[in-house]
Amino acid sequence: MPEREDSYAVRDSRQVVKKFLARPQHEGVGAIVRRSIGRFELKYFDPFLALDEFSVTAPAGFPDHPHRGFETVTYMLQGAVLHEDFEGHKGTIGAGDVQWMTAGRGIVHSEMPAAQGTQKGLQLWINLSSKHKMVEPRYQEIASKDIAEASNDGVKVRVIAGEALGAKSPVYTVTPTMYLDFTLKPGAQLRQPIPARWNAFVYVLEGEGGFGSATKPVTASAHQLLLLSNGGGGDGLEAWNKSLKPLRFVLVGGEPLGEPVAQLGPFVMNTEEEIDRTVDDFENFVNGFEKARHWRSESGISLGF
Ligand code: FJE
Ligand code: FE
């Protein structure tokens, strides 16, 4: 069989066990997000806390707000976002760029439009294990031109985290995670291995595709989230583009933490007691929030939490 080694490795596709359409809702100040993971029907998909497809046009945005206990991954699809934090770390995330932010014990920052028109992207919130919730904050920023890409037989991948089609991302993921941006030309087929026991989902950005079973694929189009089966044999994802237009989707997988989750907005810990302590820390500017006392972003607006 003339198959590549890595695609041959997928013997049996994981199945689509649930499909959601992410509808627009208001978030931040005047911003619109299509939230799939994190809405009430799907509060948590271990280790993923939220997936927002955001759309923001000045003066709307996500002004000064804190985070603790997880990572945020911002992947820009169109336009640019200016980020500034209370340590003086500042920059723009442009189309195709990724910012992998490990909030750890605490970050206060703002995320605001940095270009004319509408800025679009995906923001994924990945939980941290109890062992890592209070780590030092850290950023990994990868410019679009430095994102590993590979192509094969009408399939193109941009590797945000993990590896695919022989291309590998330099991003270090505290919680083991894969994050792949696939584009399939009309007629193309994909077989992508997914580590055993990892939870994985697909979010469609553009076009229409078939996913999962070869005999009974589930059809999905833009703004739809597909949860993939975990256990029961599947060792990867199979996807097809039987349409006449390009199909673009992200495939994201992560190792489940299996820990209790206590969440108050942008604070995610294991217990209510830890959440109470976090609110105390934030209000008293201690244990990682010291610099929040005097810091304001350029916008000077606060989202609170
Ligand atoms: C936040 C409300 C928010 N999704 N997608 C409350 F809107 C936010 C927040 C974001 C956000 C930011 C970007 Cl750039 C993209 C997003 C929610 O900033 F953190 C809280 N607590
Ligand atoms: Fe944020």
Side-chain angles (χ1 to χ4, degrees), residues 27-29 33 35 52 54 62-63 65-67 74 81 109 111 122-123 125 265-266 303-305:
E27 267 300 350
V29 176
V33 307
R35 182 163 295 166
D52 283 357
F54 62 90
F62 304 95
H65 62 277
H67 294 280
T74 306
V81 159
H109 71 169
E111 298 154 291
L122 293 177
Q123 190 171 88
W125 291 12
L303 189 57
F305 64 85

Side-chain angles (χ1 to χ4, degrees), residues 8-229:
Y8 190 63
V10 177
R11 289 182 310 276
D12 187 18
S13 181
R14 292 200 187 200
Q15 303 299 298
V16 175
V17 293
K18 203 136 197 185
K19 177 161 108 175
F20 294 88
L21 172 65
R23 291 200 182 78
Q25 63 185 63
H26 294 273
E27 267 300 350
V29 176
I32 306 233
V33 307
R34 289 178 181 267
R35 182 163 295 166
S36 42
I37 299 169
R39 58 198 278 162
F40 75 99
E41 301 100 309
L42 182 59
K43 204 54 204 142
Y44 188 49
F45 185 52
D46 194 3
F48 305 109
L49 293 155
L51 178 69
D52 283 357
E53 181 184 0
F54 62 90
S55 184
V56 44
T57 309
F62 304 95
D64 311 11
H65 62 277
H67 294 280
R68 176 183 275 181
F70 61 101
E71 305 187 277
T72 67
V73 180
T74 306
Y75 182 35
M76 292 304 297
L77 300 171
Q78 174 188 309
V81 159
L82 169 72
H83 70 92
E84 306 170 58
D85 84 359
F86 68 165
E87 298 267 10
H89 184 84
K90 187 172 170 175
T92 56
I93 316 168
D97 298 349
V98 179
Q99 184 200 57
W100 199 288
M101 183 183 92
T102 306
R105 65 207 296 254
I107 286 275
V108 180
H109 71 169
S110 81
E111 298 154 291
M112 300 298 284
Q116 298 296 313
T118 304
Q119 337 300 318
K120 292 188 180 184
L122 293 177
Q123 190 171 88
L124 176 69
W125 291 12
I126 309 172
N127 204 1
L128 289 168
S129 69
S130 56
K131 209 169 68 194
H132 294 116
K133 283 190 178 296
M134 296 296 278
V135 296
E136 283 298 306
R138 169 175 181 199
Y139 293 90
Q140 297 173 83
E141 281 155 336
I142 296 127
S144 185
K145 65 172 175 38
D146 298 324
I147 290 181
E149 288 191 8
S151 295
N152 194 295
D153 283 345
V155 176
K156 184 186 114 177
V157 66
R158 307 190 82 229
V159 185
I160 311 303
E163 71 182 288
L165 302 180
K168 201 169 172 178
S169 164
V171 168
Y172 174 74
T173 66
V174 179
T175 300
T177 305
M178 66 189 281
Y179 191 147
L180 307 171
D181 172 8
F182 283 108
T183 305
L184 272 63
K185 288 186 178 154
Q189 176 179 354
L190 164 77
R191 310 172 97 193
Q192 171 61 43
I194 299 168
R197 289 178 295 279
W198 284 23
N199 278 329
F201 65 84
V202 164
Y203 186 80
V204 182
L205 295 171
E206 247 179 76
E208 186 181 285
F211 299 87
S213 153
T215 48
K216 246 184 139 189
V218 169
T219 301
S221 54
H223 318 301
Q224 288 184 321
L225 177 85
L226 306 176
L227 299 188
L228 304 181
S229 59

